[in-house]
Amino acid sequence: MVKHWENFLAPYKQAVEELKIKLKGMRSQYEMQSIHSPIEFVTGRVKPIASILDKANNKNIPLDKLSEEMQDIAGLRMMCQFVDDIKPVVQMLRSRNDFEVVEERDYISQKKESGYRSYHMVIKYPVQTIDGEKKILVEIQIRTLAMNFWATVEHSLNYKYRGIFPKDIELRLQRAAEAAFRLDEEMSQIRGEIQEAQVIFSRKKEQKDSD
Ligand code: 0O2
Ligand code: 0O2
């Protein structure tokens, strides 16, 4: 059984590792050209077996249909400083030719009832194995740092309360979601100022490094 999971998850692990390098590489390319990177940082994970089983159970996904019906066994996250950075990242992902985008879900213009905001893309990624090429589904979530902060906190609370929040916590989470939204708006307003400061800061850092 353990061996079976190990075999099943191996291409997902490989995909996450490869995509982390590729997507982090996009950030370094911006840095090299000294232009504002729309990507702040990238994380990735393979869903833990227990979480796969829970989700399959909740969504009635038969275990032999996991690879077609569970889109986030392999998951990448790309964090951006500003809401306006998200579109260029999405465009860039669409224009790559090392994978195919099969679905997009825009929870930014259409936030979820919980208050969750993020842009989701599901891609079909070809992994090269010793038995030939395997195409697997990978979910990429693109969000701002503020959206990520909210989602991370809500995710832990969700885990603690198993999705059934006490009324006061639910209310606070909704207010926190609004506050995160306003924070993103405020930051967009002073985006120019922030970026100028960041350019000066990185020039100073470069100077120091070359001294
Ligand atoms: P790195 O790899 O060091 O750069 P869960 O099932 O949710 O309880 P979880 O949260 O997936 O378990 O596991 P874990 O170990 O906390 O997460 C590993 C990394 O993947 C974390 O960043 C998370 O921010 C990120 N991550 C977690 N869940 C998801 C997801 O659903 N989709 C995507 N795309 N990324 C996720 P590290 O450790 O800084 O990453
Ligand atoms: P993990 O690894 O625990 O994060 P569903 O899963 O039913 O919500 P669907 O169609 O499978 O819906 O995919 P969807 O909603 O596009 O993406 C699911 C993933 O988005 C979740 O993965 C979360 O990572 C994130 N997400 C969606 N809604 C919320 C929310 O209200 N709060 C938070 N914090 N994250 C959300 P999982 O399955 O929870 O996995």
Side-chain angles (χ1 to χ4, degrees):
M1 191 63 187
V2 173
K3 194 87 203 134
H4 175 77
W5 274 110
E6 226 177 89
N7 289 340
F8 175 72
L9 292 178
Y12 291 91
K13 279 195 183 133
Q14 194 176 321
V16 168
E17 290 314 310
E18 289 181 12
L19 283 164
K20 272 207 279 190
I21 291 176
K22 290 182 176 190
L23 303 181
K24 284 178 182 177
M26 286 164 72
R27 180 186 158 82
S28 344
Q29 287 171 30
Y30 282 105
E31 274 176 347
M32 269 184 319
Q33 293 178 24
S34 290
I35 31 181
H36 165 76
S37 166
I39 304 155
E40 188 60 17
F41 65 93
V42 178
T43 65
R45 63 92 182 93
V46 174
K47 210 174 182 61
I49 299 171
S51 308
I52 297 179
L53 291 172
D54 276 351
K55 189 164 183 171
N57 195 23
N58 293 339
K59 300 193 112 190
N60 283 323
I61 301 175
L63 292 185
D64 59 354
K65 290 262 159 54
L66 279 180
S67 55
E68 301 107 81
E69 293 184 20
M70 197 173 291
Q71 298 176 323
D72 68 340
I73 295 176
L76 274 294
R77 253 180 212 156
M78 304 178 79
M79 265 54 73
C80 307
Q81 287 185 349
F82 304 102
V83 179
D84 288 344
D85 289 334
I86 294 177
K87 268 222 183 92
V89 172
V90 170
Q91 293 286 9
M92 242 176 324
L93 294 175
R94 283 188 194 137
S95 68
R96 291 185 70 112
N97 50 24
D98 50 350
F99 51 73
E100 180 198 345
V101 178
V102 290
E103 224 176 294
E104 295 189 23
R105 287 192 283 272
D106 180 357
Y107 300 127
I108 293 178
S109 35
Q110 262 313 319
K111 70 168 193 251
K112 282 200 160 186
E113 220 170 78
S114 59
Y116 177 78
R117 296 170 72 233
S118 217
Y119 197 97
H120 291 193
M121 292 177 98
V122 179
I123 63 166
K124 215 175 236 176
Y125 183 76
V127 176
Q128 309 304 320
T129 77
I130 50 173
D131 303 314
E133 183 175 278
K134 242 191 194 123
K135 284 195 174 153
I136 61 158
L137 294 176
V138 178
E139 184 187 74
I140 306 180
Q141 302 177 340
I142 305 131
R143 45 169 81 153
T144 63
L145 297 170
M147 294 173 194
N148 190 49
F149 182 32
W150 184 90
T152 308
V153 170
E154 198 258 2
H155 188 269
S156 336
L157 285 175
N158 221 320
Y159 198 75
K160 176 169 174 195
Y161 293 109
R162 296 181 180 273
I164 306 159
F165 293 122
K167 208 69 210 135
D168 59 324
I169 305 246
E170 193 179 79
L171 200 69
R172 285 224 181 265
L173 274 172
Q174 263 157 23
R175 279 202 224 143
E178 280 160 31
F181 178 76
R182 283 200 306 275
L183 176 60
D184 272 335
E185 281 190 327
E186 289 294 331
M187 289 300 183
S188 296
Q189 300 292 328
I190 51 168
R191 182 189 169 121
E193 287 282 327
I194 300 172
Q195 281 175 356
E196 264 174 46
Q198 285 172 344
V199 170
I200 297 168
F201 182 73
S202 66
R203 273 204 208 115
K204 274 208 179 125
K205 196 166 160 272
E206 268 169 33
Q207 253 171 11
K208 256 197 191 153
D209 289 345
S210 65
D211 283 347

mmCIF file of all heavy atoms in Angstrom, residues 150-172:
data_model
loop_
_atom_site.group_PDB
_atom_site.id
_atom_site.type_symbol
_atom_site.label_atom_id
_atom_site.label_comp_id
_atom_site.label_asym_id
_atom_site.label_seq_id
_atom_site.Cartn_x
_atom_site.Cartn_y
_atom_site.Cartn_z
ATOM 1 N N TRP A 150 -4.213 36.127 4.472
ATOM 2 C CA TRP A 150 -5.584 35.783 4.885
ATOM 3 C C TRP A 150 -5.844 34.285 4.681
ATOM 4 O O TRP A 150 -6.345 33.611 5.579
ATOM 5 C CB TRP A 150 -6.607 36.616 4.096
ATOM 6 C CG TRP A 150 -7.999 36.360 4.555
ATOM 7 C CD1 TRP A 150 -8.680 37.018 5.545
ATOM 8 C CD2 TRP A 150 -8.886 35.321 4.078
ATOM 9 N NE1 TRP A 150 -9.928 36.467 5.709
ATOM 10 C CE2 TRP A 150 -10.079 35.415 4.828
ATOM 11 C CE3 TRP A 150 -8.778 34.326 3.109
ATOM 12 C CZ2 TRP A 150 -11.156 34.571 4.630
ATOM 13 C CZ3 TRP A 150 -9.853 33.464 2.921
ATOM 14 C CH2 TRP A 150 -11.037 33.591 3.675
ATOM 15 N N ALA A 151 -5.487 33.769 3.506
ATOM 16 C CA ALA A 151 -5.792 32.368 3.174
ATOM 17 C C ALA A 151 -5.058 31.410 4.124
ATOM 18 O O ALA A 151 -5.605 30.394 4.531
ATOM 19 C CB ALA A 151 -5.411 32.068 1.728
ATOM 20 N N THR A 152 -3.820 31.768 4.487
ATOM 21 C CA THR A 152 -3.041 30.896 5.362
ATOM 22 C C THR A 152 -3.676 30.831 6.752
ATOM 23 O O THR A 152 -3.820 29.755 7.337
ATOM 24 C CB THR A 152 -1.589 31.428 5.477
ATOM 25 O OG1 THR A 152 -1.084 31.611 4.159
ATOM 26 C CG2 THR A 152 -0.693 30.476 6.238
ATOM 27 N N VAL A 153 -4.073 31.986 7.250
ATOM 28 C CA VAL A 153 -4.690 32.034 8.584
ATOM 29 C C VAL A 153 -6.039 31.315 8.557
ATOM 30 O O VAL A 153 -6.348 30.483 9.422
ATOM 31 C CB VAL A 153 -4.859 33.511 9.032
ATOM 32 C CG1 VAL A 153 -5.698 33.588 10.289
ATOM 33 C CG2 VAL A 153 -3.492 34.145 9.258
ATOM 34 N N GLU A 154 -6.838 31.592 7.513
ATOM 35 C CA GLU A 154 -8.156 30.965 7.419
ATOM 36 C C GLU A 154 -8.032 29.450 7.290
ATOM 37 O O GLU A 154 -8.804 28.703 7.866
ATOM 38 C CB GLU A 154 -8.912 31.549 6.216
ATOM 39 C CG GLU A 154 -10.398 31.317 6.266
ATOM 40 C CD GLU A 154 -10.860 30.184 5.367
ATOM 41 O OE1 GLU A 154 -10.028 29.524 4.710
ATOM 42 O OE2 GLU A 154 -12.057 29.942 5.329
ATOM 43 N N HIS A 155 -7.000 29.015 6.542
ATOM 44 C CA HIS A 155 -6.777 27.580 6.334
ATOM 45 C C HIS A 155 -6.478 26.885 7.668
ATOM 46 O O HIS A 155 -7.031 25.823 7.959
ATOM 47 C CB HIS A 155 -5.620 27.387 5.349
ATOM 48 C CG HIS A 155 -5.425 25.981 4.909
ATOM 49 N ND1 HIS A 155 -4.592 25.112 5.555
ATOM 50 C CD2 HIS A 155 -5.960 25.267 3.883
ATOM 51 C CE1 HIS A 155 -4.623 23.938 4.948
ATOM 52 N NE2 HIS A 155 -5.446 24.017 3.924
ATOM 53 N N SER A 156 -5.655 27.531 8.514
ATOM 54 C CA SER A 156 -5.340 26.901 9.813
ATOM 55 C C SER A 156 -6.584 26.865 10.695
ATOM 56 O O SER A 156 -6.838 25.869 11.382
ATOM 57 C CB SER A 156 -4.254 27.653 10.586
ATOM 58 O OG SER A 156 -3.447 28.386 9.746
ATOM 59 N N LEU A 157 -7.361 27.955 10.669
ATOM 60 C CA LEU A 157 -8.559 27.973 11.506
ATOM 61 C C LEU A 157 -9.576 26.943 11.012
ATOM 62 O O LEU A 157 -10.237 26.273 11.802
ATOM 63 C CB LEU A 157 -9.193 29.366 11.494
ATOM 64 C CG LEU A 157 -8.441 30.413 12.331
ATOM 65 C CD1 LEU A 157 -9.059 31.777 12.153
ATOM 66 C CD2 LEU A 157 -8.442 30.030 13.808
ATOM 67 N N ASN A 158 -9.651 26.817 9.687
ATOM 68 C CA ASN A 158 -10.542 25.850 9.089
ATOM 69 C C ASN A 158 -10.213 24.447 9.574
ATOM 70 O O ASN A 158 -11.087 23.636 9.868
ATOM 71 C CB ASN A 158 -10.331 25.895 7.564
ATOM 72 C CG ASN A 158 -11.635 25.794 6.834
ATOM 73 O OD1 ASN A 158 -12.515 25.031 7.233
ATOM 74 N ND2 ASN A 158 -11.777 26.573 5.790
ATOM 75 N N TYR A 159 -8.910 24.205 9.655
ATOM 76 C CA TYR A 159 -8.425 22.915 10.093
ATOM 77 C C TYR A 159 -8.840 22.692 11.546
ATOM 78 O O TYR A 159 -9.370 21.656 11.913
ATOM 79 C CB TYR A 159 -6.895 22.918 9.969
ATOM 80 C CG TYR A 159 -6.303 21.547 9.970
ATOM 81 C CD1 TYR A 159 -6.403 20.733 8.849
ATOM 82 C CD2 TYR A 159 -5.640 21.063 11.092
ATOM 83 C CE1 TYR A 159 -5.872 19.465 8.851
ATOM 84 C CE2 TYR A 159 -5.097 19.796 11.098
ATOM 85 C CZ TYR A 159 -5.213 18.997 9.980
ATOM 86 O OH TYR A 159 -4.684 17.745 9.977
ATOM 87 N N LYS A 160 -8.642 23.746 12.354
ATOM 88 C CA LYS A 160 -8.954 23.645 13.781
ATOM 89 C C LYS A 160 -10.447 23.409 14.003
ATOM 90 O O LYS A 160 -10.845 22.567 14.792
ATOM 91 C CB LYS A 160 -8.506 24.933 14.489
ATOM 92 C CG LYS A 160 -8.877 24.969 15.945
ATOM 93 C CD LYS A 160 -8.231 26.093 16.704
ATOM 94 C CE LYS A 160 -8.786 26.116 18.120
ATOM 95 N NZ LYS A 160 -8.490 27.358 18.797
ATOM 96 N N TYR A 161 -11.286 24.166 13.286
ATOM 97 C CA TYR A 161 -12.739 24.080 13.515
ATOM 98 C C TYR A 161 -13.438 23.155 12.528
ATOM 99 O O TYR A 161 -14.653 23.098 12.492
ATOM 100 C CB TYR A 161 -13.365 25.481 13.448
ATOM 101 C CG TYR A 161 -12.931 26.384 14.578
ATOM 102 C CD1 TYR A 161 -12.083 27.467 14.364
ATOM 103 C CD2 TYR A 161 -13.383 26.148 15.877
ATOM 104 C CE1 TYR A 161 -11.686 28.297 15.406
ATOM 105 C CE2 TYR A 161 -12.998 26.970 16.927
ATOM 106 C CZ TYR A 161 -12.152 28.037 16.677
ATOM 107 O OH TYR A 161 -11.768 28.846 17.710
ATOM 108 N N ARG A 162 -12.661 22.475 11.693
ATOM 109 C CA ARG A 162 -13.210 21.567 10.675
ATOM 110 C C ARG A 162 -14.309 22.234 9.848
ATOM 111 O O ARG A 162 -15.387 21.670 9.607
ATOM 112 C CB ARG A 162 -13.743 20.277 11.306
ATOM 113 C CG ARG A 162 -12.633 19.487 11.945
ATOM 114 C CD ARG A 162 -13.086 18.200 12.563
ATOM 115 N NE ARG A 162 -11.940 17.525 13.138
ATOM 116 C CZ ARG A 162 -11.136 16.706 12.469
ATOM 117 N NH1 ARG A 162 -11.349 16.462 11.200
ATOM 118 N NH2 ARG A 162 -10.108 16.140 13.072
ATOM 119 N N GLY A 163 -14.052 23.458 9.463
ATOM 120 C CA GLY A 163 -14.963 24.157 8.544
ATOM 121 C C GLY A 163 -16.189 24.793 9.190
ATOM 122 O O GLY A 163 -16.928 25.516 8.546
ATOM 123 N N ILE A 164 -16.403 24.489 10.487
ATOM 124 C CA ILE A 164 -17.574 25.091 11.140
ATOM 125 C C ILE A 164 -17.094 26.107 12.167
ATOM 126 O O ILE A 164 -16.734 25.765 13.303
ATOM 127 C CB ILE A 164 -18.472 24.006 11.783
ATOM 128 C CG1 ILE A 164 -18.825 22.974 10.703
ATOM 129 C CG2 ILE A 164 -19.749 24.616 12.373
ATOM 130 C CD1 ILE A 164 -19.251 21.637 11.242
ATOM 131 N N PHE A 165 -17.062 27.373 11.739
ATOM 132 C CA PHE A 165 -16.516 28.415 12.601
ATOM 133 C C PHE A 165 -17.554 28.923 13.596
ATOM 134 O O PHE A 165 -18.725 29.082 13.244
ATOM 135 C CB PHE A 165 -16.078 29.628 11.758
ATOM 136 C CG PHE A 165 -14.921 29.349 10.852
ATOM 137 C CD1 PHE A 165 -15.033 29.528 9.485
ATOM 138 C CD2 PHE A 165 -13.707 28.910 11.366
ATOM 139 C CE1 PHE A 165 -13.973 29.275 8.632
ATOM 140 C CE2 PHE A 165 -12.631 28.652 10.529
ATOM 141 C CZ PHE A 165 -12.769 28.832 9.167
ATOM 142 N N PRO A 166 -17.106 29.252 14.826
ATOM 143 C CA PRO A 166 -18.002 29.985 15.725
ATOM 144 C C PRO A 166 -18.346 31.328 15.071
ATOM 145 O O PRO A 166 -17.520 31.868 14.322
ATOM 146 C CB PRO A 166 -17.149 30.204 16.978
ATOM 147 C CG PRO A 166 -15.988 29.298 16.852
ATOM 148 C CD PRO A 166 -15.801 28.972 15.409
ATOM 149 N N LYS A 167 -19.549 31.833 15.348
ATOM 150 C CA LYS A 167 -20.039 33.047 14.685
ATOM 151 C C LYS A 167 -19.054 34.222 14.770
ATOM 152 O O LYS A 167 -18.823 34.927 13.781
ATOM 153 C CB LYS A 167 -21.386 33.418 15.331
ATOM 154 C CG LYS A 167 -22.377 34.162 14.497
ATOM 155 C CD LYS A 167 -23.039 33.448 13.350
ATOM 156 C CE LYS A 167 -23.417 34.336 12.202
ATOM 157 N NZ LYS A 167 -23.079 33.806 10.922
ATOM 158 N N ASP A 168 -18.468 34.427 15.976
ATOM 159 C CA ASP A 168 -17.581 35.599 16.134
ATOM 160 C C ASP A 168 -16.321 35.471 15.277
ATOM 161 O O ASP A 168 -15.842 36.439 14.689
ATOM 162 C CB ASP A 168 -17.227 35.843 17.613
ATOM 163 C CG ASP A 168 -16.538 34.646 18.245
ATOM 164 O OD1 ASP A 168 -16.897 33.501 17.893
ATOM 165 O OD2 ASP A 168 -15.622 34.846 19.065
ATOM 166 N N ILE A 169 -15.815 34.240 15.155
ATOM 167 C CA ILE A 169 -14.604 34.037 14.338
ATOM 168 C C ILE A 169 -14.942 34.246 12.866
ATOM 169 O O ILE A 169 -14.194 34.863 12.114
ATOM 170 C CB ILE A 169 -14.031 32.619 14.548
ATOM 171 C CG1 ILE A 169 -13.779 32.370 16.028
ATOM 172 C CG2 ILE A 169 -12.808 32.365 13.681
ATOM 173 C CD1 ILE A 169 -12.379 32.197 16.466
ATOM 174 N N GLU A 170 -16.122 33.741 12.474
ATOM 175 C CA GLU A 170 -16.545 33.882 11.080
ATOM 176 C C GLU A 170 -16.607 35.362 10.697
ATOM 177 O O GLU A 170 -16.121 35.782 9.648
ATOM 178 C CB GLU A 170 -17.913 33.234 10.902
ATOM 179 C CG GLU A 170 -18.303 33.044 9.457
ATOM 180 C CD GLU A 170 -19.653 32.372 9.331
ATOM 181 O OE1 GLU A 170 -20.669 33.068 9.494
ATOM 182 O OE2 GLU A 170 -19.683 31.146 9.108
ATOM 183 N N LEU A 171 -17.178 36.153 11.627
ATOM 184 C CA LEU A 171 -17.326 37.590 11.391
ATOM 185 C C LEU A 171 -15.962 38.264 11.278
ATOM 186 O O LEU A 171 -15.706 39.070 10.394
ATOM 187 C CB LEU A 171 -18.119 38.192 12.552
ATOM 188 C CG LEU A 171 -18.766 39.534 12.264
ATOM 189 C CD1 LEU A 171 -19.893 39.356 11.274
ATOM 190 C CD2 LEU A 171 -19.289 40.158 13.559
ATOM 191 N N ARG A 172 -15.059 37.874 12.195
ATOM 192 C CA ARG A 172 -13.721 38.472 12.182
ATOM 193 C C ARG A 172 -12.973 38.125 10.902
ATOM 194 O O ARG A 172 -12.273 38.948 10.346
ATOM 195 C CB ARG A 172 -12.906 37.994 13.379
ATOM 196 C CG ARG A 172 -13.312 38.641 14.643
ATOM 197 C CD ARG A 172 -12.117 39.085 15.501
ATOM 198 N NE ARG A 172 -12.634 39.672 16.719
ATOM 199 C CZ ARG A 172 -12.825 40.964 16.870
ATOM 200 N NH1 ARG A 172 -12.497 41.813 15.928
ATOM 201 N NH2 ARG A 172 -13.324 41.431 17.992
#
